[in-house]
């Protein structure tokens, strides 16, 4: 989820449950031709090579990736599941994220009404490779979450472990669809597709990205094998300290009653976090640092 850009989550601009005269001219021409061939090979091998022919695509990917690579936030709020009959189940939510030389780290804590607490540590490299560790209620040590469980519901909500990070922007297969209006916003529409090296439970992720701020307003993910879609809506977009974020993110499955809402109430977009702040053995996402009220 990277969903904050203060969050944006998560997350350049980022899923909870249980990776050479005659000879000289000939020499010169030959050198140029060889250099050109080498350049083509380098472009083909570069993950952004495909976007070079499409400046808009390069703009979208660069903006999204830079946004995520600049993440350094701490937030608190609540996570609520609303059933079809209106019943609400609410959890306290706290998260912090920072992009380090080896990639993004996101630490999240979800606390229920009792003493139970779910702690999640997500690490994503610049190539989009994701690893997830979790410490579930009653456990005293964290363990790696197997890939087959990445799509499990997070504490019973419509968010999954995998939804906590925006790895789709770092996948190598990217397609820019025709631009669309989303309400009053002019949006780029980006379709991201995982390849064999991108571990994901989704066949594709389509993002409607506000062209003026490089922040998504809607994301639709298509689940692998079933074709079922999951929709994410971003509300209350605002800029704080030069960082764009959303105050609320709603996740819902079309055709399924109810939805889940992540609400950010306070936080800091520039938390100056260090590696020690992401130690699962410590107090976690809520420890240390003042927060700012979200308006």
């Amino acid at each position: 989820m990277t969903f904050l850009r203060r969050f944006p989550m998560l997350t350049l601009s980022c899923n909870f449950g249980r990776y050479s005269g005659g000879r000289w001219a000939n020499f010169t021409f030959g050198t140029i031709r060889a250099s050109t061939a080498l350049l083509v090979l380098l472009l083909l091998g570069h993950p952004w090579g495909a976007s070079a022919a499409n400046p808009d695509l390069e703009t979208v990917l660069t903006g999204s990736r830079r946004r995520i690579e600049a993440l350094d936030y701490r937030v608190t709020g609540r996570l609520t599941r609303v059933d079809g009959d209106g019943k609400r189940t609410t959890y306290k939510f706290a998260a912090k994220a920072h992009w380090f030389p080896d990639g993004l780290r996101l630490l999240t804590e979800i606390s229920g009404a009792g003493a139970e607490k779910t702690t999640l540590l997500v690490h994503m490299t610049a190539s989009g490779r994701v690893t997830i560790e979790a410490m579930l209620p009653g456990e005293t040590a964290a363990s790696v979450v197997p890939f087959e469980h990445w799509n499990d519901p997070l504490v019973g909500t419509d968010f999954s472990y995998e939804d906590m990070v925006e790895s789709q922007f770092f996948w190598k297969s990217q397609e820019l669809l025709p631009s669309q209006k989303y309400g009053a916003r002019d949006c780029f529409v980006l379709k991201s597709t995982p390849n064999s090296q991108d571990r994901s439970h989704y066949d594709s992720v389509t993002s409607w990205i506000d062209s003026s701020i490089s922040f998504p307003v809607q994301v639709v993910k298509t689940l692998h094998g079933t074709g079922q879609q999951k929709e994410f809506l971003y509300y209350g977009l605002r800029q704080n300290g030069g960082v764009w974020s959303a105050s609320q993110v709603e996740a819902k499955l079309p055709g399924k009653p109810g939805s889940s809402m992540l609400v950010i109430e306070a936080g800091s977009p520039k938390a100056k976090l260090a590696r020690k702040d992401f130690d699962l053995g410590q107090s976690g996402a809520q420890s240390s640092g003042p927060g700012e009220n979200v308006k």
Side-chain angles (χ1 to χ4, degrees):
M1 163 184 195
T2 173
F3 40 86
L4 308 161
R5 315 275 200 271
R6 150 159 200 211
F7 172 87
M9 230 206 284
L10 248 152
T11 168
L12 305 174
S13 337
C14 202
N15 229 69
F16 285 14
R18 256 305 254 200
Y19 211 33
S20 302
R23 294 178 61 187
W24 175 253
N26 289 336
F27 172 79
T28 302
F29 177 74
T31 301
I32 293 174
R33 184 169 57 186
S35 298
T36 302
L38 177 60
L39 176 61
V40 170
L41 287 174
L42 288 173
L43 287 174
L44 288 174
H46 196 285
W48 293 357
S51 67
N54 188 332
D56 285 341
L57 175 57
E58 186 172 6
T59 295
V60 173
L61 290 177
T62 299
S64 297
R65 290 167 176 172
R66 282 178 176 168
R67 172 180 51 77
I68 296 173
E69 289 186 339
L71 290 179
D72 179 31
Y73 69 81
R74 187 194 304 273
V75 297
T76 58
R78 64 185 187 273
L79 178 62
T80 301
R81 164 64 189 170
V82 182
D83 295 335
D85 59 3
K87 178 183 177 182
R88 292 172 172 263
T89 304
T90 300
Y91 301 86
K92 291 181 180 181
F93 176 89
K96 54 188 174 182
H98 186 92
W99 185 278
F100 294 97
D102 65 345
L104 178 71
R105 276 176 167 74
L106 169 67
L107 181 63
T108 305
E109 285 185 358
I110 303 174
S111 305
E116 69 275 12
K117 181 172 67 175
T118 296
T119 305
L120 188 69
L121 177 62
V122 181
H123 177 222
M124 181 183 71
T125 68
S127 65
R129 180 176 176 80
V130 174
T131 55
I132 305 175
E133 296 178 74
M135 188 158 57
L136 304 180
E139 296 182 344
T140 58
S143 59
V144 174
V145 179
F147 172 69
E148 55 266 28
H149 289 289
W150 285 15
N151 194 45
D152 289 356
L154 184 59
V155 294
T157 70
D158 296 293
F159 293 94
S160 70
Y161 288 85
E162 186 175 348
D163 293 331
M164 292 298 102
V165 65
E166 299 173 294
S167 60
Q168 71 269 16
F169 293 121
F170 294 84
W171 295 345
K172 293 179 176 59
S173 180
Q174 307 283 351
E175 177 186 3
L176 196 61
L177 304 180
S179 297
Q180 293 182 11
K181 280 274 190 180
Y182 186 86
R185 298 179 181 274
D186 294 316
C187 294
F188 290 118
V189 182
L190 179 70
K191 182 178 182 180
S192 308
T193 307
N195 62 22
S196 59
Q197 296 177 333
D198 302 314
R199 295 198 297 172
S200 176
H201 284 273
Y202 297 109
D203 283 332
S204 67
V205 177
T206 304
S207 307
W208 283 254
I209 302 172
D210 188 310
S211 59
S212 63
I213 62 175
S214 296
F215 195 92
V217 295
Q218 176 184 242
V219 174
V220 175
K221 301 182 179 183
T222 303
L223 284 163
H224 178 69
T226 67
Q228 183 183 38
Q229 293 187 327
K230 186 188 293 189
E231 184 179 21
F232 298 82
L233 303 175
Y234 297 77
Y235 304 104
L237 303 190
R238 77 277 185 183
Q239 190 178 35
N240 187 351
V243 179
W244 282 94
S245 63
S247 61
Q248 300 181 37
V249 184
E250 182 180 18
K252 58 183 180 180
L253 282 72
K256 177 183 176 181
S259 66
S260 299
M261 184 72 73
L262 174 60
V263 180
I264 303 305
E265 298 171 330
S268 171
K270 297 180 180 180
K272 299 180 180 180
L273 299 168
R275 287 291 292 268
K276 63 181 177 62
D277 294 304
F278 297 87
D279 184 352
L280 270 173
Q282 301 302 317
S283 57
Q286 300 186 67
S287 62
S288 73
E292 303 172 3
N293 290 329
V294 175
K295 300 179 180 179

